[in-house]
Amino acid sequence: MALIFRTAMQSVGLLLSFLGWILSIITTYLPHWKILNLDLNEMENWTMGLWQTCVIQEAVGMQCKDFDSFLALPAELRVSRILMFLSNGLGFLGLLVSGFGLDCLRTGESQRDLKRRLLILGGILSWASGVTALVPVSWVAHKTVQEFWDENAPDFVPRWEFGEALFLGWFAGLSLLLGGCLLHCAACSSHAPLASGHYAVAQMQTQCPYLEDGTADPQV
């Protein structure tokens, strides 16, 4: 029963980490981190991502323009690019390492301690990937709120608001954190049964010579 529960925990943790990693990649390239609705022209909406700004018009559709210079971007967008790339890389490494530590994987069955360490390392990498995804999304959201409630800006100036990518990034970061927690818990729960199992095998090996000779075990 414990083995089934541990295997299920590992599978759910890996699936959550994989889902968070995919959503983190989509968030990185989705040009909907901020949206701008123009009251004077309701048929035109603006969106902004980490790489480009897009305008959506009913007659023309979506037209996007890449940012000309990385250094000309605001600080939160520059740092967000780096952190999202880091999150994607850490998430991939976490999935790769955790996959080799699963109990359902037949390879390396004799190296239980190594597989347990791989699961712990994979969980830590998933945590780090989740944190590095939540930081840029939350920073951009914080700056958007500050600019929206800026009293120095005139009332007729349009304000940027939250885009769909921010909510997708929050969900991706939380999925990576939860997946890493489940992987770490599964690895820690497999430690105690593993130790008792090794002790039982060692005890059987010490008793086998005496059973074959028909003599009594001197330890008894």
Side-chain angles (χ1 to χ4, degrees), residues 34 138-150 159-162 170:
K34 296 180 181 182
S138 301
W139 189 6
V140 172
H142 175 69
K143 294 293 292 184
T144 303
V145 171
Q146 279 188 333
E147 294 172 357
F148 186 86
W149 296 109
D150 187 6
R159 312 293 176 95
W160 290 99
E161 300 181 20
F162 290 173
W170 278 320

Side-chain angles (χ1 to χ4, degrees), residues 98-126:
S98 301
F100 286 108
L102 295 177
D103 288 341
C104 59
L105 195 65
R106 294 300 181 184
T107 58
E109 290 184 345
S110 59
Q111 299 177 339
R112 295 288 183 179
D113 190 59
L114 177 60
K115 298 184 75 171
R116 173 178 167 271
R117 292 178 181 178
L118 288 176
L119 274 181
I120 294 177
L121 179 59
I124 293 175
L125 290 173
S126 295

